[in-house]
Amino acid sequence: MKKCFIAAAAVLISLCMQAQEVLRYNYIRKGYTYTGAQRERVEGSTPLYVKLSRVVFSDGQPVYLLRLDVEDTTPWKMPKNAPLTITTSAGRTVVLKNSASEPNRVAPDGFAGDKGKVYWNYGEYYLEEPDLKKIVAGVTVVDITKRWSSEGYIKVLYKNNEFGAAIARQYEALQQAPAAKSDVAGVLRSLQDQGGSRLAETNVLEVNDRLSLSLVYFYYAATNSEGYDLNLYPKGVTVPYGGTVTLEWEDGQTLELRQEKELAAGRAICYPENADVLRMLRGVRKVTFQTPGEPVELTFTDGAFSAVLDRLYNALQTISIL
C-alpha cells in the first residue's frame, strides 16, 4: 500500500510539474483571477499558434479565451465577429466569433521565418466550458474566417488531433493551476513602445531587509522574441562585473547568473533565460553573491524570494506581447 501511495504521489507531482511548464501566468487584478497558458505551435495544413486563458470573476464563474495566431506570408486583419468553426472528432461543430478589434501587436511588420518573412494574424474567441470540453475531446477541422468573402477563409485539417491535443494540454494546466496569490496592483512602473517593440519595468519590491528585486521585460518585434532583465539590490554588497549570482532551490539544484554591468555596491543586473525566470518563481531558498572578498549568502526560509519575483513577473504579463 505504501509503495502504491508513493507511486501515485510521484505521478501527481510529475503532472503538476508538467502543468507548471505549460502555464505562463496566474495572478489577481481588481478582484478577478487571470490564468493563461504558454502559446503553442500546432502543426496542420496551415501552421497555427494557440493560447488558452481563463478569467475567474468575483463570483467564482470562469470564462475562457482562445487566441489563434495564423502564420501567413501576408498580413491581414480578421474582422470582428468573424466566425471560427471547429469540427470535433465526434462530428459536432463549435462556432465562435472573433472578439478582437485592436491592431495586432505581435510583430506587425513581420519577422524572419524558416522560408522568408511571415506574419502572425490573430483572432480571439470567448467560449464557455461546455464548448471547450467538446474541443478537448478531439478536433479534425478548423475553419477560420479571415475576411468577409467567399474565399476569405482558411480550412485547417488535422489527421492526428494536433489542435485538440494542444487545447487539452492547456486546459488541463489551467485546471491544475494553484490558487493565484500575486495581486499585481501597483507593481508596474513604466511602459514604452517603439517601432512595434516594447519595454516595461516594475517597481522595486523588498524581499527582506537585505534584498530587493525588480524585473524588466523586452519584446523585440524584428525577431518576435522576448526577454527579461533581473535587477537585484543586495544592501551593501558589491558584485564585480562578471561575478556570479547563484540561486539554489530546496532540492539542491542551482542556477548561476552573472553580473552583466560594472555597478556600485547594492546593485546587480542579470540576464536569465525565459525558462529560468519561470523556474525562479518556485522554491528559491538561497542566493549567493560573489564579491571581491568572501561570498555573501542570503537564505529565504519562507519562500519570500520566489513570492516577490512571482508578483513582478505576473505584473509584466499584464502587458506582455507573447
Side-chain angles (χ1 to χ4, degrees):
M1 179 66 73
K2 184 177 181 180
K3 289 183 179 180
C4 292
F5 175 79
I6 293 173
V11 171
L12 180 60
I13 292 172
S14 177
L15 290 174
C16 290
M17 290 293 289
Q18 292 174 19
Q20 288 175 338
E21 291 173 358
V22 175
L23 285 179
R24 179 177 173 91
Y25 59 80
N26 191 22
Y27 60 85
I28 300 167
R29 185 173 64 171
K30 296 182 180 180
Y32 297 165
T33 300
Y34 297 81
T35 309
Q38 299 280 1
R39 186 183 264 97
E40 181 176 349
R41 181 184 172 98
V42 178
E43 299 297 341
S45 53
T46 296
L48 300 180
Y49 293 79
V50 300
K51 180 179 180 181
L52 185 67
S53 58
R54 180 185 66 197
V55 180
V56 178
F57 297 98
S58 54
D59 61 1
Q61 293 301 309
V63 64
Y64 293 84
L65 179 65
L66 173 63
R67 170 157 178 151
L68 292 186
D69 289 280
V70 183
E71 188 171 287
D72 204 340
T73 55
T74 59
W76 38 267
K77 180 72 174 67
M78 198 174 296
K80 188 171 183 180
N81 294 321
L84 168 71
T85 303
I86 300 171
T87 304
T88 71
S89 301
R92 299 178 178 180
T93 58
V94 176
V95 181
L96 308 172
K97 291 187 177 181
N98 175 39
S99 64
S101 58
E102 297 180 356
N104 190 13
R105 291 205 60 88
V106 176
D109 296 325
F111 61 98
D114 294 337
K115 299 179 181 179
K117 181 176 281 192
V118 295
Y119 300 83
W120 282 5
N121 305 298
Y122 85 109
E124 292 182 335
Y125 309 89
Y126 286 99
L127 68 165
E128 301 295 335
E129 201 154 16
D131 282 337
L132 181 54
K133 288 182 176 179
K134 294 176 186 176
I135 297 170
V136 164
V139 171
T140 58
V141 182
V142 171
D143 286 290
I144 304 167
T145 302
K146 69 175 188 178
R147 58 177 174 267
W148 299 118
S149 72
S150 59
E151 298 180 351
Y153 69 93
I154 300 171
K155 181 183 288 290
V156 189
L157 307 177
Y158 297 102
K159 296 180 179 180
N160 298 303
N161 187 37
E162 295 88 347
F163 186 93
I167 300 300
R169 280 189 292 273
Q170 297 187 13
Y171 175 64
E172 184 69 17
L174 299 186
Q175 296 300 99
Q176 293 185 7
K181 297 179 180 179
S182 289
D183 191 322
V184 298
V187 177
L188 196 64
R189 178 183 179 184
S190 63
L191 174 64
Q192 301 175 48
D193 291 320
Q194 184 173 4
S197 294
R198 174 163 283 192
L199 168 65
E201 186 174 2
T202 68
N203 286 312
V204 178
L205 299 186
E206 184 178 274
V207 177
N208 57 25
D209 59 359
R210 299 187 64 188
L211 180 66
S212 297
L213 303 173
S214 69
L215 199 61
V216 180
Y217 167 83
F218 302 91
Y219 171 73
Y220 306 99
T223 57
N224 195 33
S225 60
E226 56 190 0
Y228 299 89
D229 287 359
L230 174 62
N231 294 283
L232 303 102
Y233 304 86
K235 288 188 178 178
V237 176
T238 300
V239 183
Y241 174 70
T244 59
V245 178
T246 305
L247 291 82
E248 183 176 324
W249 278 259
E250 294 289 349
D251 61 4
Q253 294 187 54
T254 61
L255 170 66
E256 188 175 280
L257 303 174
R258 294 190 177 277
Q259 166 72 287
E260 299 290 348
K261 294 185 178 181
E262 190 80 45
L263 297 172
R267 181 89 183 270
I269 296 179
C270 301
Y271 301 157
E273 298 293 330
N274 293 358
D276 290 331
V277 175
L278 290 172
R279 184 181 167 201
M280 283 187 275
L281 304 184
R282 303 187 297 271
V284 173
R285 76 172 189 89
K286 183 169 68 175
V287 178
T288 302
F289 297 94
Q290 180 182 346
T291 75
E294 293 295 319
V296 174
E297 294 185 355
L298 301 181
T299 302
F300 312 97
T301 57
D302 54 358
F305 181 96
S306 291
V308 168
L309 189 63
D310 186 87
R311 194 173 174 210
L312 297 172
Y313 169 83
N314 275 292
L316 292 174
Q317 298 318 300
T318 66
I319 52 79
S320 67
I321 301 298
L322 295 177

